[in-house]
Amino acid sequence: MRPIGQKRGLAPVIGTGALSAACGVGLLTTSGWLITRASQRPPVLSLGIAIGAVQAFSLGRGLARYVERIGVHRLSLRLLGKLRLRLFDVAVPLVPGAIGGNGTGGLLSGFVSGTEAVAEGYARATTAAVDVSASIVLGTAVAALMSPVLGVVLLGGALAVVAVAAALARWGRPVEQRAAAQRAELANAVVAAVRSAPELIAYGRQDLVEQALEQVRRRDAAASARRALAGGLARSATILAAGGAVVAVVGTGLAATDAHRLSGVMLAVVVFAALAVMDQCANLPGVFAANNAARAASARLRDLEGLEPAVREPERDLSAGAGPGSAELAGAETAAPGGTLILQGVSLSVGNGERVALVGPSGSGKTSAVHALLHFVACRRGQARLGGVDVSTMTREGIATLAGWVPEETHVFAASVAGNLRLARPSATGPECLAALDRVGLGPWSDGLPGGLATRLGAGGLPMSAGEQQRLGLARALLAGPSVLLLDEPTAHLDRATGDRVLQELLDAAGERSVLVVSHDQAISQHVDSVVALDGGRVARVSPGGRPGRSQRLAGTVAPGPSGC
Amino acid sequence: MPDATTPGAARPSGPIDRRLIKQLPGLKVSVAASVMVGLLATAGVAVQAVALAHLLAGAMPGAAAGGRGRWMVLFGVGVCVRAGVALVGEILAAASASRAVAVLRSRLVTAALGQAPTGGAGPGDDGRGRGWGPRLPKEPGVGPPGGPGDIATLAGRGLDALDVYVGRCLPDLVLAVAAPLALLLAVGVLDWLSALIMAVVVALFPVFGALVGRTTMPLARERWRQVEDLGRQIADVFEGLPVLRAFGRTADQRARMAKTNEALSQSSTRVLRVAFLSALVLDTLGSVSVALIAVPLGLRLVSGQASLPAALAVLIVAPEVFLPLRRASAEFHESTEGLAAAARALAIIGSAPDSQSRTGGVPLPGGSAAAGRGPVTRAGAGTRTAPPDPRRAAVELRSVTVELPGRELPLLRRASLNISPGETVVLVGPSGVGKSTVISLLLGFASPVEGEVAVGGEDLRRLDLASWRRLITYLPEHPTLLAASLADNLRLANPAAGEAELLRALAQAGAPDLMAGMGDGWATRLGDGGRPVSAGELQRIALARVFLRPRSLYLLDEPTVHLDQDSEAHVLQGLGQALGTSSALIVSHRPAVLRTADRAVTIRGGELVDASPDLLAAAPA
């Protein structure tokens, strides 16, 4: 992910940046000339132009810099916008199939802040590059006008300072990266220590919490000392190099005045030009450090870009041919991003109006089966079908009209209640939204909303319990009007009694829709027509469920065993 | 603590956060050290300027050419001082920041541990608070663990962001005043008229700053808010990406994001123009001061009223006067995130019972501990009496009321419960109703705003909590693992247990083969960075801890969750034996657990009511 393509708007930034640098060099050189020339007591009138120039430069410098800053910030904002969209494009095909299961949000938030680091690093690097190079060019030009040799010395000195700052920044980069990684690790250690605290206190072992914190403190102090050493060395070496460059200019200049090749006044002009250049170079270590951070973030974004999407989505949608209400896996085989097999030839079928439970220990492939049906992961062998049509021939929109998904931890967006629901069907009216909420048992909850359907939820909004979130997720899924519901551990975060009740209500709300419900709890069987038990990516057992009045009619519609492979 | 609940107030009003300095007594010393180092750098600048001025003046026709070597050396000294100071300053800043963050972190954790995990913030009461709930005084949008409202996250990454403020910004804020003063003094020695002009310009800055600030601040703040809002929206969108994708709504969302970006960059030019005005003032004053000094100096040189070396030296240092101020203002912008985290941490520290007990000793029921914050952990442990043994004394909740900030009705309202010696009580009820809060109350993690928790008739607040907890075996709803070996994880409950005992405890917990199945046996590392364990394994390890710790009162939160029916029966049988004459309060819904109970209670309308007849009857024998 390269922060390029910022040509539009760059020219004015370079122009104003160069102007501000020119004013900076001009201000110092003309003041230097003014003072040294004045000491020779010329007629005051002969200083008039210099006096005017000093004043003009002093005002022009601030103004030019102001315009430059605005330009750079606009560029960096535009870059940030582009990077965000690009991250969005990169991330969409990756979730939830290719990265993370349920913790995707946390993972991506790191990338989101990464885009900010890249944009900020870009702004700082651009400003510095313009300012430093313009000062070097102009300072060298002024010096060369006075004496070509001094021009060469100043140019050489300035380039040496840039080289030293760059080399030390490069040398410090791994130190910086290690320190950042360690810091993240230590932050996790703090989180773990704090989370375990109540249990440890109950066991009378709060000393373990204190110990853990003390260890973090010591390791953090060591890590930040190493980082400070690297950063401090870079700054100090840059100061030494800049000092050396000034000494070289002064030394060469003094030799030239001794040889009467240069007047004392002109020497002062050259030295002040050198000071103006070095003044800009002093910012280099900070700029390189920001650039390092931006590069690291940008490398991580590139890694993400390099990830293979879990599925290829077709251009044309063939979902129109799908019949109502069925979902099948036929000998489905799927693999994790690393290549490890997850589903190893799973066949199962949910007939129209049927309810099937998918049970099994964690890691047995339950969630992957659901993801295969939603075409979040591709089947390497076999097929996943909705309404009899292969899901790999459907677009996202097509799949969404057939299957409603309620993940284990559904996301409630920081938006209004209505906004959260209309995600599923933008045309849904207020009464339809309320009806959907009522259907999932959120009727009383929605009556109590302080702002009705406009009440804000999610981060910064009304807090919701896990049960309420799950129900909202289902209301959303129902609103889209799908004929198959895929419920992934809908009650995993609820206690048993609440879970039972919520599940019953969810299933009641599902009505005559076909349902595939994933659970780790065998007790689910009383709610369904049949139970498919997965183990190690294979169907271990298919047994009839205890759903009253249904089991007999529907017995036998479940494909037996792993027949597909 | 309105501070912590309104996000706007989470930022300090001035650039120097006094509460922070009060909490960190060592901070003054380290800031002073950094300021001294900074002043040394200023001295280096002055020395360099004087040396350079003399070198240049010496090159003028008619000047005495002597002493050139001396001035060259002096210039070199100035450069070396600045270089050395840059290195030392960096190290000082890092050390001071690291120390400050560590102190604040440990205060925060201590304060948070003392603070009641009340109500819905109790261990897992809303089903989401895995492990532990003491969150912020219920801020709107306090999310799941790992979210920004979570104390553990605040203590970890949150406080880490404070380092720029403590290490750099604070010293530079002091230097922004001290360094110009020092330079003014130096200039005054060389040329008092220039010093006077400089002083006027320096004095003008706050005036201009205030004038500009008054008009730009609201806009700058507004812009900051916009940018923050957008950042939050974007993070939210990314978090919900799988849901968007499943509903086929990613294209809409992308279009909306592009539009927002466009709108922001359209509006931004106007806002940036105003927001950067203060930087313009600072820059312009800086360069105008050079002109203001150079021109009179030149005119006075013509009339012979000033000396050339002094004039050159003054001209060279003039641009340095505003440098620390410029740095401080940039660093202050970088510090926003860390300062917000610090403000939240300070709000929690400030409300901790420790600071209350210093003034008033034991907070009385219904007293200052408004939100049900408790007199917990170690405050005043020495002055309290030893608790009676629950095997012989009843453990009671006497009309306790526990309020949950941000909730209209109290979580528990005059709820009473009596666990007689040797009795096993099972607590049932839907999630979020306050079951885990009852356990928190009995452990002394929470205390009621009204009523009392009593042991043998003694108010728990008057008892020594450490001794009280020594009488208890606690199984939390979401047990945690230490980053340590399997054996150490088990010995947490009983440090003296031998390997045979550990093995027996695992067997009682229904996991006789757990140790053998782990790569390195007892030494297998678990927890963060160690071998991952399944929910079932974790539950068995937690149960083994219970079996390793025979005590007088058992507080068990969903002990048989994640177990199959056979293991559950096995565990319950062992538990029955282990309980013996001890008392127990077990939160559970499993019929098998209910059958082991002497009676069952539930929470209805905030009150603890007897549920025995219907529930025990409903549990199939």
Side-chain angles (χ1 to χ4, degrees), chain A residues 27 31-32 34-36 38-42 44 47 51 54 58-59 61-63 65-66 69-70 73-74 77 81 84-85 87-89 91-93 95 105 108 112 183 187-188 190-191 194-203 205 208 210 213 216-217 220-221 224 228-229 232-233 235-236 239-240 243 246-247 250-251 254 257-258 264-265 267-268 271-272 275 311 313 376 396-397 400 405 409-414 423-424 426 460-461 464 466 469 476-477 493 495-498 501, chain B residues 52 55-56 59-61 68 72 75 79-80 82-83 86-87 90-91 94 98 102 105-106 109 113 126-128 130-132 140-141 145-146 150 152-153 155-157 160 163 168 230-231 234 236-250 253-254 257-258 261 264 268-269 272-273 276-277 279-280 283-284 287-288 290-291 294-295 297-299 301-304 308 311-312 315-316 378 429-431 435 443 445 469 474 476 479-480 482 492-493 495 545 549 558 589-590:
Chain A
L27 176 62
S31 327
L34 176 66
I35 289 202
T36 37
S39 74
Q40 295 172 324
R41 303 195 173 191
V44 174
L47 301 177
I51 289 173
V54 164
S58 76
L59 285 171
R61 183 175 177 225
L63 281 172
R65 155 116 344 142
Y66 172 68
R69 269 209 188 110
I70 292 173
H73 268 82
R74 290 189 60 192
L77 266 178
R84 280 170 171 163
L85 287 180
L87 177 62
F88 189 84
D89 293 341
V92 163
V95 293
L108 282 176
V112 174
R183 179 155 252 204
N188 288 340
V190 172
V191 171
V194 176
R195 287 211 200 295
S196 64
E199 204 172 356
L200 294 178
I201 292 176
Y203 286 132
R205 296 303 306 274
L208 288 176
E210 282 151 25
L213 289 180
V216 166
R217 189 194 66 75
D220 181 63
S224 60
L229 191 66
L233 280 176
R235 283 182 53 186
S236 127
I239 291 173
L240 285 176
V246 173
V247 167
V250 171
L254 285 175
T257 50
D258 289 348
V265 177
L267 172 65
V271 170
F272 274 93
L275 288 180
V311 291
E313 291 186 2
F376 283 151
R396 275 292 133 214
E397 291 74 10
W405 176 52
E409 268 180 87
T410 196
H411 185 72
V412 176
F413 288 89
L423 196 69
M464 295 174 81
Q469 291 192 23
R476 185 152 68 186
H493 295 284
D495 67 51
R496 186 65 171 269
T498 314
R501 204 181 63 238
Chain B
L52 200 55
L55 284 167
L56 290 179
M60 293 301 284
R68 216 180 250 176
M72 272 290 197
F75 181 81
V79 172
C80 290
R82 283 178 54 221
L87 180 59
E90 196 90 6
I91 290 170
S98 168
R105 177 176 284 158
S106 104
V109 172
L113 294 185
D126 61 358
R128 289 159 63 183
R130 256 164 254 167
W132 186 39
D150 179 51
T153 315
R157 279 179 290 282
D160 267 348
D163 59 353
R168 297 180 196 284
L230 183 69
I234 293 205
D236 185 53
V237 165
F238 275 98
E239 220 166 290
L241 211 48
V243 173
L244 289 172
R245 197 172 170 223
F247 284 115
R249 290 276 164 252
T250 50
Q253 196 59 49
R254 190 189 191 282
M257 220 159 109
N261 276 332
L264 190 75
S268 65
T269 316
L272 286 175
R273 251 180 231 148
F276 282 147
L277 271 182
L280 171 66
D283 275 346
T284 306
S287 51
V288 164
V290 174
V295 173
L297 263 181
L299 295 176
L301 278 167
V302 172
S303 55
L308 180 60
L312 283 170
L315 188 61
I316 295 169
R378 48 202 113 147
S431 56
K435 298 187 301 294
L443 276 166
F445 284 148
R469 289 179 189 141
Y474 168 49
T480 50
L482 301 179
L492 186 62
R545 285 178 184 160
R549 193 177 161 92
E558 299 280 5
H589 301 92
R590 301 264 191 156

Side-chain angles (χ1 to χ4, degrees), chain B residues 152-248:
Chain B
T153 315
L154 176 60
R157 279 179 290 282
L159 287 181
D160 267 348
L162 194 60
D163 59 353
V164 180
Y165 181 72
V166 170
R168 297 180 196 284
C169 188
L170 268 184
D172 276 334
L173 281 169
V174 180
L175 271 176
V177 178
L181 281 179
L183 279 177
L184 276 177
L185 271 178
V187 170
V189 172
L190 294 168
D191 185 83
W192 67 269
L193 205 61
S194 299
L196 196 66
I197 296 171
M198 228 184 239
V200 170
V201 177
V202 169
L204 272 181
F205 176 72
V207 178
F208 274 106
L211 283 177
V212 172
R214 194 178 302 160
T215 51
T216 62
M217 263 318 241
L219 255 173
R221 222 176 259 152
E222 176 62 20
R223 171 175 180 265
W224 177 246
R225 209 185 51 76
Q226 272 179 12
V227 170
E228 262 189 326
D229 274 1
L230 183 69
R232 260 201 298 274
Q233 272 173 35
I234 293 205
D236 185 53
V237 165
F238 275 98
E239 220 166 290
L241 211 48
V243 173
L244 289 172
R245 197 172 170 223
F247 284 115

Side-chain angles (χ1 to χ4, degrees), chain B residues 399-490:
Chain B
S399 305
V400 294
T401 299
V402 172
E403 284 168 358
L404 182 62
R407 223 170 106 148
E408 239 172 79
L409 294 176
L411 194 65
L412 295 178
R413 195 170 40 193
R414 289 191 288 282
S416 295
L417 173 70
N418 184 325
I419 308 172
S420 337
E423 193 182 21
T424 297
V425 178
V426 171
L427 176 55
V428 297
S431 56
V433 82
K435 298 187 301 294
S436 297
T437 301
V438 171
I439 289 193
S440 286
L441 285 170
L442 293 174
L443 276 166
F445 284 148
S447 73
V449 284
E450 268 175 55
E452 61 178 21
V453 181
V455 185
E458 285 271 3
D459 190 334
L460 187 58
R461 272 170 286 206
R462 301 185 202 284
L463 300 178
D464 176 29
L465 273 173
S467 328
W468 168 239
R469 289 179 189 141
R470 271 198 288 279
L471 299 172
I472 298 177
T473 291
Y474 168 49
L475 174 70
E477 188 184 0
H478 300 286
T480 50
L481 286 177
L482 301 179
S485 68
L486 171 63
D488 285 347
N489 263 295
L490 292 170

